[in-house]
Amino acid sequence: MPSSSVRATLSKFTGVGKKIAAELEKRIMVLDGGMGTMIQNLKLTEEDFRGEEFKNHPKPLKGNNDILCLTKPAVILDIHKSYLEAGADFVETNTFSGTAVAQSDYGTEHLTYRINKEAARLAKKACQEVEKSTGIYRYAIGAIGPTNRTLSISPSVENPEYRNITFDELAEAYTVQTRGLLDGGVDILMVETIFDTANSKAALFAIDKLFDSEYERIPVFVSGTIVDKSGRTLSGQTTEAFVISVSHSRPMCLGLNCALGATEMRPFIESISLATEAFTICYPNAGLPNALGGYDETAEDMATHLKSFAEDGLLNIVGGCCGTTPSFIKAIADSVKGIRPRVPPIDLYSDVLLLSGLEPMKISKLINFVNIGERCNVAGSKRFCRLIKNGKFEEALSVAKQQVEMGAQVLDINMDDGMLNGKKAMTKFLNLIGSEPEVCKVPLCIDSSNFDIIVAGLKCIQGKCIVNSISLKEGEEDFLAKAQLVKRFGAAIVVMAFDELGQAATTDRKVEICTRSYRLLVEKLDFNPNDIIFDPNILTIATGIEEHNSYAITYLEATKQIKNSLPGARISGGLSNLSFSFRGMDTVREAMHSVFLYHAINSGMDMGIVNAGNLPVYDDIQNDLLNLCETVIWNKDLNGTEKLLEYAQSLGKGEKKVIPTDEWRNGSVKERLKHSLVKGIDKYVIEDTEEARCKEDVYPKPLNIIEGPLMDGMSIVGDLFGSGKMFLPQVIKSARVMKKAVGYLLPFMESASGEEEKSLHNGTVVLATVKGDVHDIGKNIVGVVLGCNNYRVVDLGVMTPSEKILKTAIEENADVIGLSGLITPSLDEMVHVAREMERNGMKIPLLIGGATTSKKHTAVKISPQYSKPTIHVLDASKSVVVMSSLMDRIAYEDYVEEIAEEYEEVRNEYFETLQERTYVTLESARAMALNIDWTHFVPICPRRLGVTVFRNYDLSHLLKYIDWKPFFDVWQLRGKYPNRSFPKIFKDVEVGKEAKRVYNDAQTMLNDIIKCKLLRVNGVVGLFPAFSRGDDIVVFDENSQQVTGILYGLRQQAEKETSEPYLCLSDFVAPESGGKKDYIGMFAVSAGFGTKEICKRYETLHDDYNIIMAKALADRLAEAFAEELHEKVRKELWGYSSELLETTDLHKIKYQGIRPAPGYPSQPDHAEKCTIWKLMEVEKHTEICLTETLAMDPAASVTGLYFAHPKSSYFAVGKINKDQVVDYAARSNRTVENIEKNLGASLAYSI
């Protein structure tokens, strides 16, 4: 940018704009913090969001923070004032989602103008009220968010050219929003949280248009979002490329916000401070999100980080984003107070043409020449034209990629052909280029003689491109109108040396037209001179027509004069025109181009449209040919053309071609396949895949190729992506290569299966980025990878409400649902979706993925909401493993069980280490108890009420009920999936052999125990009438109706973030008030009689191994007896179930009902055993005793309660508060001290 670009622009502001500029010169000013954070902390309900006006609105409104400007204006006003009172100079309006595009998800798009105007009024009112009390003027910023759509990335992996919104639709949405903000009285407009620069350009386009036509200009701030350590936006741009792309709007402030904490943002805000003459603005998050989506950084920590930014001269405005509150802003304001603000550089790019693709490009005197690749031109390349006309756009993309690989620094795109719809072709091809990072990393040049095609192209590009071209041939009015539009899009412009009289052929005419154009652009439109590129017309020489012989000379002379007389302007030209008369004779043409370019560069030519890579070095050209070229270019010989023609004809057909190197093709087929995937090359993947398929000794099955080199390649891609060395478009392209390979292998896989009716897919998965989130990088990659592995993927895109996810899953008969999200609020939405899946009785697994998700959050927050498998997927490379395990009928149970156990451990560890956990009162917990509809439930009366005794039970009956997994756990033998369960553990590489040995020893001892009757097994079951009374279960006699015992219950009190109930065992028994007769069961069993004798025998032999073995087997037999008795109770004694379940199903609790034990999570008080012993006379009937510490003797004993209700479930009471302890002591006629002693580990407070 020239020296006049920003600093001079500041002087143009009047009123509040001038006031802000003056203040920014004096001190670091302070922005407010997170509006969303403050709203979330209020925990508003759906009714709060609806208010009175929208109480009958057809769609849910919770989460639509912007609507609160209408329904809860006082809340928004208070939030604004709290930030201002904390020291903020600026507050942003509550309009982050204030476009019709974003509001359409809530059915409130018709309210966008009103929302924005009211939001502006509230922000301004807060500023005025605080100014009145403090005497300090404050400013209202109109916040303009990114919307939930993206112009640069396709929501469809299969259709990379597809976009779910157009530039015009976005610009219109931004226009309505901006008009509302301006009418509401904001002082500043800020386009913020820019993850896709193309979206922000639509916003800036709309703003500039309104300023030109309807409103007085006010300052504009621009803030981007760098999503990770790669230093790129979500759409792939580097920080500096982003700055270049938006600087045409001449923002007063330019900076970064969101996604990163201050520490992570430091290098990128420093990069911006060095790359712009604008003031800088920085408002990071309160650190990075933790595993549960919250923020751990304190206000003091954040203030300390930002203070160092200020001390190093990086800041002009500072504030906070997600996770920050007024306390943060106060700390930040205090920390930067008195620190000198950053002094923006002057004349930073006074003689530099700045361009950008995904990466920046600076064209200055230090760059000798810029190659503009010419082969993506339907008029200049027959191959490219043929591909485009035949609809082979993806193959045409390879032409562009090759141009860049061969040295093109800018890529020229031209779709001018009478048989093409140029606008559609340009749009489609540019969108495809956006999917190819090796191409779109460089700036583009939109080339057309049809300005409508140029405009169509401009609407597709996020970077700063070149427009080629406009001219004065239609007069000044047309010229200025087109130039103004190009400027609004933020592009540089090529001006051809044409005017109303036609094309300039002489030096004087070229200079005259270019000078006139320059004056019009700079003086009438304030066009940046560095963004003006003149093409003085390279015309064809050596045609045989004498007047053409001097065309090269006139170009060179005009170039010198233009560069000397028009400061900042650049010179370009289409090199192929020069040698057009020698078409088909590539050696001659390329030599002519090289010689001409040598002289043109020395004359001041900055760039040219060339076939990059096909230019020989000047000194390497054969002397005869070099001299002939010099002669025709400088018109030294009237016969020069004839001599060059004779030379060309002498070459015959032996034309050389420069081609890209394919050295990697010399590697093994495994290495070639990996290389193709990593580099995204699909040219050879079919032939390489076939070669691999034929190597049956290495790859016996086609699946082995997928699981081998193809997945190896994708793993490398995943690693590079995770380390920030690759970004979205590259990953997607690599996955498409894999899909091509898998698609080729698929018929062979199907024929190998021998199943004529085999399904075409391994399974169906519905993927969706949850409501409120527009990010879908991970989801798209997962979709591609799964698709490549023959899964049918139904991608619902972004911002998907739960009802659509569930409805689609049902309609598509999905096997799995996968949820994705990047931003923190998505975590809550995932919890909601899980809860809705449970409420709707869904049975399919739920996969969770995305940047803010984690195994811990999934285990603690999401999994408990859904009774079916809920699994966190770390990255795309893991998705296939997870899906294949879930779709494998044999492996499914083991895999799901392993995940469940792992997540249970994660939950337990989390809650045990949780430092600060809040608890609800006992009264509140009871108010939120499990709500069972007892009115329509008829309890089953047991077939045998009272006590049933089992003595000397046949041990051989118990063998099939033994669960061997806990047995191996005793010996610390744990197989890894898929060999973790019995008997698969014997196949485990690490523990299988030892597990088999121990198991065989166990069988030997078991046979001895049964044969010699070394152990006796006794048990008792009691089934009694009962009802619940609050948290207790009252047991009474069937005949006398007298109360015979009370089982006291404990209720969960740890605060829950969702509406799930606070459980107590009494919830599963019909209440006394309902008048329904319900029942409770209980049992006590032991297989330990004789264990001491067995152990004593081995003690004399000092045989510790068999002592442990005997105790472990006694425990297993006791548990097996408990399992068999529970089955007998369900099917015979109580008779409420007619189940037909395998033993493995029993171990996995697939039956109705539960048997929780006293002293365990559902009732942690061991004292409840006393009531069981009394009611069933346990010691009398079974000889099982209770010790003073309420342990059972023999040790191999089990006791518990039976609940039959279909909704009964296991749960953990967790920690309880003092109010419940006091209540529990009173109900059970015990002292508080006694309860606290017995329940020490369950207390939420210190004694």
Side-chain angles (χ1 to χ4, degrees):
M1 293 177 290
S3 59
S4 62
S5 62
V6 174
R7 301 298 296 281
T9 301
L10 299 182
S11 65
K12 296 181 181 179
F13 287 112
T14 59
V16 71
K18 181 176 289 187
K19 190 172 183 178
I20 294 169
E23 197 68 20
L24 286 169
E25 297 279 1
K26 299 175 185 176
R27 66 183 178 91
I28 296 173
M29 300 182 76
V30 179
L31 182 69
D32 62 359
M35 172 63 74
T37 301
M38 295 293 285
I39 291 173
Q40 288 175 28
N41 289 343
L42 294 174
K43 297 185 178 179
L44 300 177
T45 64
E46 175 70 25
E47 289 70 28
D48 292 320
F49 280 85
R50 286 179 175 273
E52 185 64 25
E53 181 177 355
F54 304 108
K55 64 181 181 181
N56 296 319
H57 190 73
K59 287 188 175 183
L61 291 178
K62 186 177 181 182
N64 184 0
N65 290 349
D66 299 31
I67 202 76
L68 295 172
C69 295
L70 304 180
T71 58
K72 288 285 182 183
V75 168
I76 303 304
L77 181 65
D78 287 345
I79 292 173
H80 286 321
K81 291 175 69 175
S82 67
Y83 278 120
L84 293 169
E85 290 164 353
D89 296 291
F90 307 92
V91 287
E92 292 188 67
T93 55
N94 180 35
T95 53
F96 185 79
S97 299
T99 59
V101 176
Q103 288 296 312
S104 63
D105 290 316
Y106 301 98
T108 51
E109 57 269 36
H110 61 290
L111 297 171
T112 51
Y113 173 81
R114 183 180 160 204
I115 288 172
N116 283 277
K117 184 176 180 180
E118 180 62 15
R121 190 191 67 79
L122 288 169
K124 192 65 180 172
K125 181 179 180 183
C127 290
Q128 291 166 345
E129 290 184 4
V130 174
E131 180 192 4
K132 188 174 181 181
S133 63
T134 63
I136 301 173
Y137 193 91
R138 310 301 175 95
Y139 305 91
I141 297 178
I144 300 174
T147 81
N148 47 18
R149 303 290 179 89
T150 172
L151 283 172
S152 296
I153 303 171
S154 171
S156 169
V157 175
E158 303 303 321
N159 299 299
E161 75 275 12
Y162 171 69
R163 300 293 184 268
N164 58 8
I165 197 166
T166 67
F167 182 95
D168 292 337
E169 289 168 342
L170 265 181
E172 174 57 26
Y174 282 126
T175 297
V176 174
Q177 179 179 29
T178 304
R179 186 177 282 116
L181 292 171
L182 292 172
D183 288 346
V186 296
D187 302 299
I188 303 154
L189 293 171
M190 178 149 70
V191 181
E192 66 170 349
T193 320
I194 299 166
F195 64 83
D196 181 353
T197 311
N199 284 32
S200 71
K201 288 175 73 174
L204 295 168
F205 183 94
I207 291 169
D208 187 67
K209 194 172 180 181
L210 283 173
F211 284 161
D212 268 357
S213 60
E214 300 180 39
Y215 295 89
E216 182 180 348
R217 287 185 181 269
I218 61 173
V220 173
F221 295 179
V222 175
S223 181
T225 295
I226 300 300
V227 296
D228 54 37
K229 291 184 290 185
S230 70
R232 294 180 183 266
T233 63
L234 187 63
S235 54
Q237 277 198 312
T238 66
T239 307
E240 197 167 357
F242 161 71
V243 171
I244 292 170
S245 301
V246 298
S247 289
H248 67 280
S249 64
R250 297 182 178 179
M252 176 181 281
C253 289
L254 204 161
L256 297 174
N257 75 290
C258 206
L260 304 176
T263 303
E264 296 78 22
M265 192 178 285
R266 165 87 190 217
F268 311 126
I269 197 67
E270 185 171 2
S271 175
I272 284 184
S273 73
L274 296 172
T276 181
E277 294 179 8
F279 295 108
T280 54
I281 183 169
C282 173
Y283 50 117
N285 291 345
L288 295 175
N290 58 31
L292 298 179
Y295 294 89
D296 298 326
E297 192 165 87
T298 66
E300 291 71 24
D301 290 340
M302 187 173 181
T304 299
H305 295 318
L306 291 175
K307 181 179 181 180
S308 70
F309 288 24
E311 291 172 335
D312 291 339
L314 304 181
L315 300 180
N316 295 109
I317 299 178
V318 63
C321 199
C322 300
T324 61
T325 61
S327 63
F328 279 77
I329 299 308
K330 184 180 187 308
I332 292 168
D334 291 342
S335 71
V336 301
K337 188 174 183 180
I339 299 178
R340 185 180 177 84
R342 166 182 171 270
V343 179
I346 299 175
D347 292 343
L348 183 61
Y349 299 116
S350 59
D351 192 25
V352 180
L353 167 57
L354 300 174
L355 302 172
S356 63
L358 295 183
E359 298 171 4
M361 183 175 190
K362 302 171 186 177
I363 302 174
S364 67
K365 293 178 181 179
L366 299 177
I367 294 181
N368 189 36
F369 183 77
V370 175
N371 292 323
I372 303 178
E374 69 170 354
R375 307 312 290 172
C376 293
N377 186 326
V378 294
S381 168
K382 290 182 179 179
R383 178 181 175 229
F384 184 78
C385 183
R386 182 179 66 254
L387 292 172
I388 294 296
K389 286 185 174 180
N390 291 337
K392 297 181 178 180
F393 280 78
E394 294 203 31
E395 191 173 341
L397 189 60
S398 66
V399 177
K401 185 175 181 181
Q402 184 178 359
Q403 287 277 282
V404 176
E405 289 173 347
M406 299 298 284
Q409 295 155 285
V410 178
L411 203 61
D412 184 79
I413 314 293
N414 184 291
M415 295 291 175
D416 287 358
D417 186 282
M419 298 304 292
L420 281 175
N421 182 324
K423 290 172 64 176
K424 287 186 176 180
M426 179 66 78
T427 299
K428 183 172 183 176
F429 191 64
L430 290 180
N431 285 344
L432 272 174
I433 282 179
S435 72
E436 177 48 77
E438 291 304 314
V439 178
C440 66
K441 70 180 181 181
V442 303
L444 301 178
C445 179
I446 310 305
D447 185 358
S448 180
S449 58
N450 183 332
F451 194 70
D452 288 341
I453 295 177
I454 287 175
V455 173
L458 286 169
K459 292 175 180 178
C460 301
I461 297 174
Q462 67 169 323
K464 181 180 179 183
C465 68
I466 299 171
V467 163
N468 186 20
S469 58
I470 65 170
S471 74
L472 283 164
K473 66 182 179 179
E474 299 293 337
E476 290 188 3
E477 184 178 350
D478 175 79
F479 175 79
L480 290 172
K482 290 174 178 175
Q484 176 65 41
L485 192 55
V486 171
K487 180 188 175 189
R488 186 166 287 148
F489 276 105
I493 196 167
V494 174
V495 178
M496 299 293 297
F498 293 91
D499 65 5
E500 298 89 339
L501 300 178
Q503 177 176 261
T506 67
T507 300
D508 290 343
R509 282 272 292 150
K510 292 176 189 287
V511 174
E512 174 195 343
I513 293 173
C514 291
T515 301
R516 178 185 170 199
S517 300
Y518 182 91
R519 301 299 178 206
L520 288 169
L521 291 172
V522 174
E523 296 171 8
K524 291 199 172 185
L525 298 182
D526 194 24
F527 212 96
N528 186 344
N530 289 317
D531 288 344
I532 301 172
I533 304 166
F534 289 112
D535 184 342
N537 306 331
I538 298 177
L539 302 177
T540 306
I541 62 172
T543 64
I545 301 173
E546 185 175 349
E547 64 185 84
H548 296 172
N549 292 345
S550 63
Y551 280 171
I553 297 172
T554 60
Y555 178 91
L556 297 174
E557 291 175 344
T559 295
K560 286 183 180 179
Q561 292 185 37
I562 291 168
K563 291 297 292 285
N564 289 332
S565 61
L566 305 178
R570 299 306 192 278
I571 300 294
S572 181
L575 202 56
S576 63
N577 287 345
L578 181 80
S579 63
F580 190 72
S581 58
F582 286 85
R583 61 187 183 277
M585 302 177 182
D586 289 345
T587 299
V588 172
R589 294 194 70 181
E590 289 159 10
M592 290 177 69
H593 295 164
S594 183
V595 173
F596 177 80
L597 201 56
Y598 172 80
H599 295 295
I601 290 171
N602 287 330
S603 297
M605 185 180 183
D606 300 282
M607 61 191 72
I609 300 175
V610 299
N611 186 0
N614 282 11
L615 287 177
V617 177
Y618 181 88
D619 290 341
D620 291 343
I621 300 172
Q622 198 271 336
N623 283 336
D624 290 347
L625 180 57
L626 176 63
N627 290 330
L628 287 169
C629 291
E630 289 278 5
T631 296
V632 295
I633 286 171
W634 291 107
N635 195 18
K636 297 177 180 179
D637 185 347
L638 292 176
N639 296 318
T641 300
E642 286 297 323
K643 292 177 181 178
L644 184 57
L645 181 60
E646 289 175 6
Y647 180 89
Q649 291 173 335
S650 70
L651 293 175
K653 300 291 185 180
E655 296 290 352
K656 54 89 182 171
K657 290 289 178 184
V658 178
I659 60 174
T661 177
D662 279 345
E663 291 181 9
W664 64 278
R665 299 295 302 155
N666 297 325
S668 67
V669 67
K670 177 181 179 180
E671 292 302 317
R672 278 180 270 137
L673 283 170
K674 287 200 296 184
H675 183 89
S676 292
L677 281 163
V678 173
K679 296 297 183 181
I681 300 170
D682 64 358
K683 182 177 180 181
Y684 307 101
V685 72
I686 296 298
E687 62 184 81
D688 288 345
T689 302
E690 171 59 16
E691 181 180 336
R693 191 185 68 81
C694 293
K695 293 179 179 292
E696 294 186 4
D697 56 327
V698 181
Y699 307 110
K701 299 178 181 178
L703 182 62
N704 300 139
I705 302 172
I706 296 173
E707 294 175 338
L710 294 180
M711 282 307 294
D712 288 345
M714 284 304 294
S715 294
I716 295 172
V717 170
D719 291 341
L720 291 173
F721 178 64
S723 63
K725 296 177 182 177
M726 289 182 75
F727 41 100
L728 176 61
Q730 290 169 303
V731 176
I732 292 177
K733 186 167 181 64
S734 295
R736 289 199 190 99
V737 175
M738 184 169 182
K739 180 169 186 175
K740 193 170 184 178
V742 173
Y744 177 77
L745 291 171
L746 188 56
F748 299 103
M749 295 168 69
E750 292 171 350
S751 61
S753 73
E755 299 177 24
E756 295 183 5
E757 300 298 325
K758 184 180 183 294
S759 170
L760 293 176
H761 299 283
N762 291 334
T764 298
V765 57
V766 170
L767 294 181
T769 298
V770 296
K771 182 180 178 181
D773 199 329
V774 71
H775 307 97
D776 60 356
I777 290 179
K779 173 178 66 63
N780 288 348
I781 297 170
V782 168
V784 171
V785 173
L786 290 177
C788 292
N789 285 272
N790 200 30
Y791 291 95
R792 186 170 76 96
V793 177
V794 181
D795 191 340
L796 298 181
V798 300
M799 290 292 292
T800 315
S802 60
E803 57 268 22
K804 182 176 181 181
I805 296 171
L806 273 59
K807 181 173 181 288
T808 304
I810 294 169
E811 291 174 348
E812 298 289 343
N813 194 25
D815 299 293
V816 171
I817 289 176
L819 302 181
S820 176
L822 183 79
I823 58 177
T824 304
S826 298
L827 300 175
D828 293 335
E829 184 63 20
M830 290 176 179
V831 171
H832 171 69
V833 173
R835 196 161 56 243
E836 286 297 289
M837 291 177 70
E838 182 71 17
R839 186 177 67 83
N840 284 275
M842 300 191 75
K843 307 292 185 185
I844 62 177
L846 173 63
L847 305 186
I848 303 295
T852 59
T853 66
S854 66
K855 180 170 68 177
K856 181 182 287 186
H857 182 273
T858 303
V860 174
K861 303 287 187 177
I862 305 176
S863 180
Q865 308 303 317
Y866 185 47
S867 57
K868 299 306 173 182
T870 305
I871 303 169
H872 179 252
V873 182
L874 183 62
D875 55 44
S877 64
K878 303 294 187 296
S879 61
V880 176
V881 175
V882 173
M883 281 297 297
S884 62
S885 299
L886 291 174
M887 297 306 297
D888 187 331
R889 284 175 293 180
I890 297 175
Y892 177 87
E893 295 289 351
D894 287 340
Y895 180 70
V896 167
E897 184 178 345
E898 176 161 299
I899 293 292
E901 290 183 4
E902 180 183 5
Y903 283 14
E904 183 64 28
E905 292 174 2
V906 170
R907 280 191 293 272
N908 291 338
E909 180 182 359
Y910 170 76
F911 288 121
E912 287 171 4
T913 59
L914 194 61
Q915 298 298 314
E916 296 182 6
R917 193 172 190 192
T918 56
Y919 296 85
V920 301
T921 64
L922 179 59
E923 181 182 2
S924 298
R926 286 170 173 166
M928 293 181 282
L930 180 66
N931 184 20
I932 292 178
D933 181 9
W934 293 104
T935 304
H936 298 95
F937 180 76
V938 179
I940 302 295
C941 178
R943 295 172 182 172
R944 186 185 296 180
L945 281 170
V947 174
T948 304
V949 179
F950 302 86
R951 293 185 67 90
N952 297 316
Y953 200 76
D954 189 343
L955 281 170
S956 63
H957 289 177
L958 304 181
L959 296 182
K960 72 172 186 176
Y961 291 95
I962 293 177
D963 182 358
W964 286 102
K965 183 183 177 302
F967 170 80
F968 292 116
D969 289 342
V970 168
W971 301 101
Q972 298 183 12
L973 297 173
R974 194 169 190 270
K976 294 181 180 179
Y977 172 81
N979 297 317
R980 62 183 307 278
S981 63
F982 173 82
K984 292 180 182 178
I985 190 173
F986 301 145
K987 299 178 182 179
D988 189 83
V989 176
E990 294 184 8
V991 304
K993 185 176 181 180
E994 182 65 13
K996 183 64 174 176
R997 185 186 71 80
V998 172
Y999 176 75
N1000 289 339
D1001 290 345
Q1003 293 302 306
T1004 300
M1005 183 175 285
L1006 261 181
N1007 289 334
D1008 287 343
I1009 288 172
I1010 295 172
K1011 180 179 178 181
C1012 301
K1013 298 182 179 181
L1014 299 178
L1015 293 178
R1016 287 186 300 113
V1017 179
N1018 295 334
V1020 61
V1021 169
L1023 298 173
F1024 307 106
F1027 57 76
S1028 64
R1029 180 187 291 159
D1031 293 344
D1032 304 327
I1033 300 170
V1034 179
V1035 183
F1036 59 92
D1037 181 82
E1038 173 72 9
N1039 298 317
S1040 67
Q1041 298 296 301
Q1042 295 295 311
V1043 173
T1044 55
I1046 299 177
L1047 296 163
Y1048 299 102
L1050 291 169
R1051 188 171 294 280
Q1052 293 173 320
Q1053 278 190 280
E1055 185 176 29
K1056 302 185 180 187
E1057 296 184 3
T1058 63
S1059 58
E1060 59 183 304
Y1062 290 72
L1063 298 176
C1064 175
L1065 287 174
S1066 63
D1067 294 343
F1068 306 136
V1069 179
E1072 179 181 16
S1073 60
K1076 288 280 181 76
K1077 183 185 288 187
D1078 206 348
Y1079 304 89
I1080 187 75
M1082 53 195 68
F1083 71 96
V1085 298
S1086 180
F1089 298 104
T1091 307
K1092 291 179 180 178
E1093 289 73 13
I1094 296 175
C1095 291
K1096 189 173 292 184
R1097 189 177 72 197
Y1098 287 117
E1099 283 175 4
T1100 61
L1101 301 174
H1102 305 288
D1103 189 348
D1104 292 339
Y1105 174 76
N1106 277 310
I1107 291 172
I1108 296 172
M1109 180 70 74
K1111 291 179 179 180
L1113 289 175
D1115 284 343
R1116 288 300 86 218
L1117 288 167
E1119 291 287 355
F1121 193 18
E1123 193 71 78
E1124 187 189 11
L1125 278 190
H1126 195 186
E1127 182 184 49
K1128 190 182 292 290
V1129 166
R1130 294 192 303 273
K1131 298 171 69 173
E1132 301 174 18
L1133 301 181
W1134 198 329
Y1136 66 80
S1137 174
S1138 57
E1139 68 200 40
L1140 294 173
L1141 298 175
E1142 299 292 332
T1143 303
T1144 53
D1145 295 328
L1146 299 180
H1147 295 158
K1148 292 169 182 175
I1149 318 175
K1150 291 192 174 183
Y1151 47 77
Q1152 178 182 316
I1154 58 174
R1155 59 170 191 271
Y1160 286 83
S1162 296
Q1163 200 343 338
D1165 187 3
H1166 285 275
E1168 288 301 290
K1169 294 175 186 173
C1170 297
T1171 304
I1172 295 174
W1173 254 245
K1174 172 190 169 188
L1175 289 171
M1176 293 194 299
E1177 298 182 288
V1178 173
E1179 187 170 352
K1180 171 185 173 183
H1181 293 308
T1182 66
E1183 303 175 40
I1184 306 172
C1185 304
L1186 290 177
T1187 68
E1188 290 183 359
T1189 58
L1190 300 177
M1192 290 178 287
D1193 186 21
S1197 302
V1198 183
T1199 187
L1201 302 174
Y1202 292 134
F1203 293 86
H1205 195 280
K1207 286 193 174 182
S1208 58
S1209 62
Y1210 291 102
F1211 64 92
V1213 169
K1215 295 187 183 296
I1216 60 175
N1217 235 330
K1218 187 68 175 268
D1219 61 341
Q1220 181 161 199
V1221 170
V1222 172
D1223 183 86
Y1224 185 70
R1227 287 168 16 229
S1228 59
N1229 295 311
R1230 294 154 67 190
T1231 66
V1232 171
E1233 290 73 20
N1234 177 261
I1235 300 297
E1236 289 177 335
K1237 180 181 178 181
N1238 282 7
L1239 297 177
S1242 299
L1243 301 180
Y1245 59 95
S1246 301
I1247 302 174

